[in-house]
Amino acid sequence: MDKIKVIGQQRLSGKIYISGSKNSVVSLLPAAILTDECVIEKVPHISDVDNLEEILRYLNVKFSLESGTIYIDNGDILNKPIGEEYSSKLRASYYFMGALLSRFKKVEISFPGGCNIGKRSFDFHLMGFEKLGAEITIKDNLYIIKADELKGAVIDLPFPSVGATVNIILASVMAKGVTVINNAAREPEIENLIEFLNSMGAKIKGVNTNRLEIDGVSKLSGGKIKVIPDRIEAGTYILAGVMNGDDLEICNVEAKHLTSFFEVLDKMGANYKIIGDRVITNKTLNLKPVNIETNVYPGFATDLQQPITTLLLQANGISVLKENIYENRFQNVQYLNEMGADIEILGDTIKVYGPSLLKGKLVRTSDLRAGAALVLAALSASGETTITDIKHLLRGYSDLIKKLSNVGAKIWLIDE
Ligand code: EPU
């Protein structure tokens, strides 16, 4: 069941509801172990969540999931070494570094997994733990991080890393004294995490700014949060609508999280309308080429770089797209070219020569957002496309096949 088939060029109409954000929930679940009991609503149906639940189960955390709401009880939690069989399934397993260090002052965890889209080192996370007073030993792939006491510190991040910001918040929330994170990431998912921790009694100030101030508290208790809508999933389906929509409605969208994305669509002349939390999209002809650079929030999200490349294929002229966050996030290009695109890779930049007529082919998903780019390509290509290795897609797109089938796409899993 690791392949999907798509018959392209169907018009899409009806409603697609956006699920809770992957990049939020993957920090909220590790954060949940910092309290006694808590509730997380709007949990998406993705394999990254399944894999984090596996880790919670292994740590003897009790939880139940009912209609997207997870109830967590940490009454019997145990601090156990998290081996590679758990950690390598996703990137965010490393948020248990910050969370377990915070709760038990000691953590043993193997190297994390995640998409192969660049170096993705986590030296800033480790530097942050050390500043808080932790000692780190690395044996092969095992990270042993411990502290007699965690003490507040001023931490200047060399780059506003999402992961480092999350891990340092988790580690410092019960440290003694005040921690300041300068040059912190301010992605909406960080705001979601801070709201959750503050609902447990944490004292974190500076939401939505690059300077976070965390006044350590001795204990956290309770906690409730709703996962914000996934801005990348929303962007992906909006692109599907601009390519193939017939009044396709994308519902539960937080439009303010997608400002840079909408600016690009405006420049291209895309046909879409925002009405409250819905975005109504229509197939747009005569799209204009555009230049895009990815950047940290509120810049154009790197996670939408690969999906929007598929739209650029339909523009009349040359678009230029520069990737500033990751070194290896163009693995979709080879397959798009095999489907009939004309894209040239020049280091950290691609040149997309539009318009191209795509034809269905056998293609492979190399990473999550490359997979999304290929699904978009398959939906607008003539004929049949088979996409293999869709496990990457299932990590981050909740009920992808069901959502697209419901609006008229011909897409199904192949059971072989
Ligand atoms: N970096 C370092 N050292 C560090 C941390 C980061 O050099 O200690 C570099 C990375 O190598 C990368 C850049 O800084 O080149 C950005 O990394 P960041 O830490 O901000 O990203 P991340 O936390 O690893 C999260 C999302 C990504 C998303 C980025 C940027 C999660 C689990 N992942 O990754 O999501 O692309 O932020 O917004 O939240 C995806 O959803 O497809 C995805 C890859």
Side-chain angles (χ1 to χ4, degrees):
M1 294 249 288
D2 202 22
K3 282 184 202 162
I4 47 180
K5 256 200 176 112
V6 181
I7 296 180
Q9 298 188 338
Q10 314 299 316
R11 291 299 286 271
L12 308 179
S13 76
K15 294 181 186 201
I16 295 182
Y17 285 89
I18 297 307
S19 300
S21 155
K22 167 181 91 78
N23 288 344
S24 265
V25 78
V26 298
S27 74
L28 297 173
L29 285 168
I33 68 159
L34 295 176
T35 182
D36 42 11
E37 288 178 6
C38 61
V39 181
I40 306 176
E41 295 171 351
K42 302 270 180 208
V43 173
H45 185 217
I46 53 176
S47 64
D48 268 9
V49 165
D50 299 338
N51 290 323
L52 287 169
E53 285 176 357
E54 281 282 296
I55 299 180
L56 291 175
R57 212 171 278 122
Y58 167 74
L59 297 174
N60 214 32
V61 172
K62 305 283 180 292
F63 60 86
S64 63
L65 183 62
E66 285 162 35
S67 340
T69 298
I70 186 162
Y71 301 86
I72 296 182
D73 173 356
N74 292 305
D76 298 321
I77 188 172
L78 298 171
N79 188 15
K80 297 198 280 178
I82 299 176
E84 208 170 64
E85 67 275 32
Y86 296 104
S87 68
S88 65
K89 294 207 175 131
L90 75 166
R91 191 82 198 151
S93 59
Y94 66 5
Y95 290 149
F96 281 99
M97 286 183 177
L100 288 168
L101 181 66
S102 199
R103 180 152 185 157
F104 294 103
K105 308 286 175 289
K106 182 173 179 193
V107 52
E108 281 187 38
I109 184 166
S110 293
F111 198 78
C115 288
N116 176 18
I117 49 180
K119 284 201 293 289
R120 305 197 84 181
S121 54
F122 48 97
D123 46 336
F124 310 154
H125 308 222
L126 302 180
M127 174 271 283
F129 298 148
E130 281 177 335
K131 283 255 160 103
L132 294 169
E135 262 177 38
I136 302 172
T137 319
I138 306 167
K139 280 191 204 153
D140 301 321
N141 264 345
L142 184 70
Y143 289 73
I144 304 168
I145 310 170
K146 54 186 175 184
D148 294 333
E149 183 182 48
L150 293 166
K151 277 197 196 143
V154 176
I155 298 167
D156 299 312
L157 289 179
F159 178 86
S161 151
V162 172
T165 304
V166 168
N167 245 334
I168 296 168
I169 293 174
L170 295 174
S172 63
V173 79
M174 287 189 278
K176 202 167 167 209
V178 176
T179 297
V180 173
I181 310 178
N182 289 317
N183 202 21
R186 54 191 182 107
E187 269 66 4
E189 294 76 23
I190 305 268
E191 178 181 355
N192 209 198
L193 171 70
I194 293 176
E195 194 187 331
F196 185 37
L197 292 168
N198 283 347
S199 80
M200 300 175 189
K203 289 190 180 157
I204 308 173
K205 289 194 289 201
V207 171
N208 287 331
T209 74
N210 289 127
R211 185 182 183 277
L212 294 174
E213 203 176 293
I214 303 144
D215 192 357
V217 294
S218 56
K219 193 175 180 317
L220 296 173
S221 176
K224 190 170 179 182
I225 193 70
K226 199 184 277 183
V227 184
I228 55 171
D230 195 309
R231 60 194 167 105
I232 309 301
E233 187 196 19
T236 304
Y237 290 125
I238 291 167
L239 291 170
V242 175
M243 286 188 259
N244 301 292
D246 178 7
D247 279 338
L248 179 69
E249 254 183 66
I250 319 299
C251 308
N252 190 33
V253 179
E254 191 68 80
K256 68 173 192 284
H257 293 163
L258 284 159
T259 308
S260 305
F261 174 73
F262 287 128
E263 275 169 20
V264 169
L265 292 190
D266 290 342
K267 282 187 195 152
M268 295 183 76
N271 183 346
Y272 75 92
K273 218 169 22 192
I274 304 173
I275 304 174
D277 70 349
R278 294 176 302 140
V279 181
I280 296 154
T281 55
N282 275 291
K283 180 178 172 77
T284 313
L285 302 173
N286 299 320
L287 287 164
K288 294 189 204 89
V290 74
N291 293 349
I292 308 173
E293 273 197 38
T294 64
N295 220 325
V296 295
Y297 189 81
F300 190 92
T302 170
D303 296 342
L304 282 169
Q305 178 265 108
Q306 290 160 305
I308 206 165
T309 300
T310 308
L311 181 69
L312 299 181
L313 294 173
Q314 298 194 353
N316 291 310
I318 304 172
S319 297
V320 177
L321 202 162
K322 184 164 185 274
E323 170 58 59
N324 287 318
I325 310 293
Y326 295 110
E327 306 84 6
N328 187 24
R329 213 171 199 188
F330 293 135
Q331 294 178 75
N332 48 321
V333 166
Q334 174 196 340
Y335 296 105
L336 292 175
N337 281 345
E338 285 175 17
M339 291 176 78
D342 185 359
I343 307 174
E344 194 182 357
I345 304 182
L346 304 155
D348 60 3
T349 299
I350 53 173
K351 268 190 170 175
V352 183
Y353 298 86
S356 300
L357 290 175
L358 300 182
K359 273 204 189 123
K361 280 266 174 207
L362 173 65
V363 292
R364 189 179 77 82
T365 298
S366 53
D367 57 86
L368 171 60
R369 308 301 172 189
L374 294 178
V375 170
L376 292 174
L379 291 172
S380 44
S382 61
E384 188 177 287
T385 300
T386 302
I387 307 179
T388 65
D389 272 349
I390 60 147
K391 59 177 183 290
H392 297 290
L393 263 170
L394 304 181
R395 285 193 25 231
Y397 285 90
S398 195
D399 302 321
L400 173 97
I401 294 164
K402 195 157 88 193
K403 286 185 186 184
L404 283 170
S405 308
N406 284 347
V407 294
K410 290 199 172 157
I411 179 167
W412 64 95
L413 265 180
I414 312 179
D415 216 350
E416 59 188 43

